[in-house]
């Protein structure tokens, strides 16, 4: 199992969600976050307003999936979140040691 974490621009969330649904992802966690990368201090456009800041609003999307689904999940996120501009984000893939569905006690792939 793998945990795919993507940091994306906020206005790309719906496109990413639709792309992930298209490759069979049945659940995800979404968090509003702030941060900076190489573009620190760069001017960003957010909700139509241009501003300069060192902490840029982003969305963190987390998806737990089987090893076989990782490539399609990463590709779906990359294509849906790409604008070609600075600050499009990053995708991280981590090993996931264990998953447990609280309601049924199912573990690992069956819990996903």
């Amino acid at each position: 199992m793998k945990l795919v974490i993507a940091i994306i621009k906020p206005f790309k969330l719906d496109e990413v969600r639709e792309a992930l649904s298209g490759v069979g992802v049945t659940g995800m966690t979404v968090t509003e976050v702030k941060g900076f990368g190489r573009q620190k201090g760069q001017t960003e456009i957010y909700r139509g307003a241009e501003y300069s800041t060192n902490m840029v609003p982003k969305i963190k999307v987390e998806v737990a999936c089987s090893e076989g689904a990782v490539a399609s999940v990463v590709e779906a996120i990359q294509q849906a979140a790409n604008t070609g501009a600075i600050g499009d984000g990053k995708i991280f893939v981590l090993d996931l040691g264990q998953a447990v569905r609280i309601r049924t006690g199912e573990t690992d792939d069956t819990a996903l």
Side-chain angles (χ1 to χ4, degrees):
M1 293 178 309
K2 298 287 185 177
L3 179 63
V4 179
I5 301 172
I7 309 297
I8 62 171
K9 291 184 174 186
F11 67 88
K12 286 297 206 169
L13 177 59
D14 287 336
E15 290 176 51
V16 169
R17 186 187 53 75
E18 289 173 15
L20 288 172
S21 294
V23 296
V25 171
T26 57
M28 68 183 75
T29 301
V30 177
T31 311
E32 292 181 13
V33 296
K34 291 183 180 184
F36 67 90
R38 290 185 185 166
Q39 84 272 18
K40 50 186 147 204
Q42 186 128 8
T43 301
E44 274 277 316
I45 296 175
Y46 179 63
R47 294 192 177 177
E50 189 171 313
Y51 65 96
S52 181
T53 181
N54 58 0
M55 293 298 252
V56 180
K58 298 286 183 181
I59 296 290
K60 179 167 74 168
V61 178
E62 297 172 290
V63 177
C65 61
S66 64
E67 292 223 19
V70 171
S72 60
V73 168
V74 169
E75 184 177 345
I77 294 170
Q78 185 176 10
Q79 289 181 359
N82 184 16
T83 67
I86 291 174
D88 273 352
K90 295 271 191 301
I91 301 172
F92 305 100
V93 179
L94 309 169
D95 288 324
L96 187 59
Q98 184 179 20
V100 178
R101 179 173 286 143
I102 294 173
R103 180 177 54 87
T104 62
E106 293 170 303
T107 60
D108 301 330
D109 282 339
T110 57
L112 300 178

